[in-house]
Each structure stands twice: as structure tokens, then as C-alpha cells.
Amino acid sequence: MATTKQCVANRKNSKKSTGPRSAEGKAVVARNALTHGIFSRQILLSHETEKEFASLKDAFYEQFQPQGLLEMLFWERALASAWRLSRVARIEAMVMDRAIDFLDRENLSKIFSGCSGEKLMLMSRYEVMLERSLFKALEELKALQFSRGANQTLIEGEIGFVSQKLGDIITL
């Protein structure tokens, strides 16, 4: 725990800090918190191609054809989870490749007991979280679409409902 004297000095020093001034410096600082990008607010990271994401997006749209605000919300959530899930797979492959190259492709047990093993366990946890998110979003989307289909049947009058004037229903 910092002493009172240290806290005063920290406050005094923080007033001297101006942070980055150039556009380049600000761009660099904006990415400071980005370590692996799995939970980034941005769906597409700088090293990922728009073409691959657009291809996945088109396939998702073609398969689910969302209508309305809520369906679009769950469709987008499922899309983002699926994209991030593929990112996890790429990161896991990179970690394994680097660890194996570092060890000259010998003694794989060292990979799982060291830093690389911890990274792989973390990626595995992220993978499970993203899979849950994906399946939950798809479940909600399908439920909304099923409900929409049921409502469409009611609107088309397949159950024989005939609207009546209020005066015809109320008899005194």
C-alpha cells in the first residue's frame, strides 16, 4: 500500500503527464489494452481481412435471414461470437507453433507445463465462453423466428379467426 507521501508525489507527477500528442501516438495508445482481441469492441482487428469476415457475414445472413430488431440483435451476437471463436482457434495454433518452434519440436510436455500451457488453458476457457454465447444467441434467434412463423400463421387466418365489430359482440 502506498504511503501518503507517495500518493501526494503520484498526484503531483500525474499533472505533468500530457499523454500522446500526435495522431500516430494516440493511435498506438488506443491499442494499449488490446492483447489478443477476443473481447475487443471491434469485431474486425487490423490484421484480419474484411473479405473473410464479409464471407462469414453473408453465409450467416443467408442461413438465418433475420427480420426485425431483436432477430438482428441475436444474429449479430451469433456472428460476432462465431468470428471470435475462429480467432481463438488461430491464436491456439500460433501459440502451439511458437512453442514447438522454440523447443525444436522436442519434448511437448514442456509446452503444457510452462507459459504456453497457461495461454492454451486461457484460450480454452475463452473458447467455452464464446461457444456458450454463440449457442445462446442462436437459440434465441431460432425461438424468435419460430414465434414469428407462428404469428404469421395467425395473421394469415389459418385457424379460422374472423374479426367482428365491437357492437356485434356486446348485446344488452
Side-chain angles (χ1 to χ4, degrees), residues 4 17-18 28-29 32 44-45 62 64 92 101 103 112-113 128-130 142 145 148 154-156 162:
T4 305
S17 174
T18 60
V28 168
V29 170
N32 276 353
L44 195 63
L45 300 181
E62 187 177 320
F64 297 107
E92 284 176 337
D101 288 344
L103 290 172
F112 297 109
S113 62
V128 169
M129 290 170 57
L130 289 167
K142 288 178 182 179
Q145 290 178 332
R148 176 171 38 97
L154 290 176
I155 291 170
E156 291 171 1
V162 178

Side-chain angles (χ1 to χ4, degrees), residues 9-133:
N10 285 341
R11 281 193 206 103
K12 186 177 178 182
N13 288 335
S14 71
K15 291 179 183 175
K16 295 178 185 177
S17 174
T18 60
R21 294 179 186 216
S22 70
E24 293 168 345
K26 290 178 182 180
V28 168
V29 170
R31 292 187 306 267
N32 276 353
L34 186 64
T35 54
H36 46 63
I38 293 173
F39 299 109
S40 163
R41 283 188 205 143
Q42 292 177 278
I43 283 255
L44 195 63
L45 300 181
S46 60
H47 65 278
E48 296 171 330
T49 65
E50 283 187 45
K51 186 177 179 181
E52 287 179 21
F53 180 70
S55 175
L56 179 68
K57 186 176 180 180
D58 291 343
F60 254 67
Y61 191 84
E62 187 177 320
Q63 181 169 353
F64 297 107
Q65 298 180 359
Q67 294 179 8
L69 181 64
L70 282 178
E71 285 185 23
M72 285 296 292
L73 175 85
F74 287 114
W75 174 81
E76 286 175 351
R77 185 168 292 168
L79 174 65
S81 295
W83 181 253
R84 288 182 172 117
L85 202 52
S86 68
R87 187 180 296 155
V88 168
R90 289 191 305 267
I91 292 171
E92 284 176 337
M94 286 175 17
V95 168
M96 286 296 293
D97 286 345
R98 285 184 183 165
I100 290 171
D101 288 344
F102 180 72
L103 290 172
D104 253 348
R105 302 194 184 280
E106 294 176 9
N107 205 354
L108 288 177
S109 65
K110 288 183 181 178
I111 293 172
F112 297 109
S113 62
C115 180
S116 295
E118 291 173 11
K119 289 178 183 176
L120 288 171
M121 287 185 345
L122 184 62
M123 288 300 119
S124 180
R125 279 203 328 251
Y126 291 156
E127 188 173 20
V128 169
M129 290 170 57
L130 289 167
E131 283 177 346
R132 279 192 199 130
S133 176

